[in-house]
Amino acid sequence: MKLIEMTNGEATIHVEPGSKGHEKAIGNGFEAKSPKAKPAAEPKTGEPKAFAEMSVAELKAVAAEFNVDLGEATKKADIVAVLEAKADEALGKTA
């Protein structure tokens, strides 16, 4: 049995690819750690990081910081959509 390492930015777990535990981990914001992945470059001071560039864990942290209810959103694209809609609402933008 081969295990992969997954993290959500706060915790690290090991799961079997394709298992129910793997699917549950993804649903809870865990992403596979790549041993060859380079650390993401930190944005320059004053340059906010775009939602699309953030990990699921970072997106959830932003939502928590600004008290944004993500509802049923668990996938990155869905979380980004909720946060972008809330940002537009806060800035008075309409679709």
Side-chain angles (χ1 to χ4, degrees), residues 30-44:
F30 281 82
E31 296 177 340
K33 284 182 78 172
S34 173
K36 296 179 183 177
K38 294 180 182 178
E42 290 294 319
K44 295 177 185 174

Side-chain angles (χ1 to χ4, degrees), residues 2-80:
K2 179 182 177 186
L3 298 178
I4 59 171
E5 189 172 338
M6 299 184 77
T7 184
N8 67 355
E10 297 175 12
T12 300
I13 61 172
H14 294 86
V15 296
E16 184 177 1
S19 68
K20 287 185 180 185
H22 182 232
E23 293 173 13
K24 186 175 179 180
I26 292 170
N28 287 321
F30 281 82
E31 296 177 340
K33 284 182 78 172
S34 173
K36 296 179 183 177
K38 294 180 182 178
E42 290 294 319
K44 295 177 185 174
T45 304
E47 288 184 34
K49 195 173 182 183
F51 292 140
E53 296 172 357
M54 294 181 182
S55 68
V56 170
E58 289 173 313
L59 292 167
K60 288 182 176 181
V62 169
E65 181 179 348
F66 292 98
N67 297 317
V68 175
D69 180 9
L70 296 176
E72 298 294 317
T74 57
K75 294 182 180 179
K76 182 175 178 175
D78 297 335
I79 296 170
V80 167

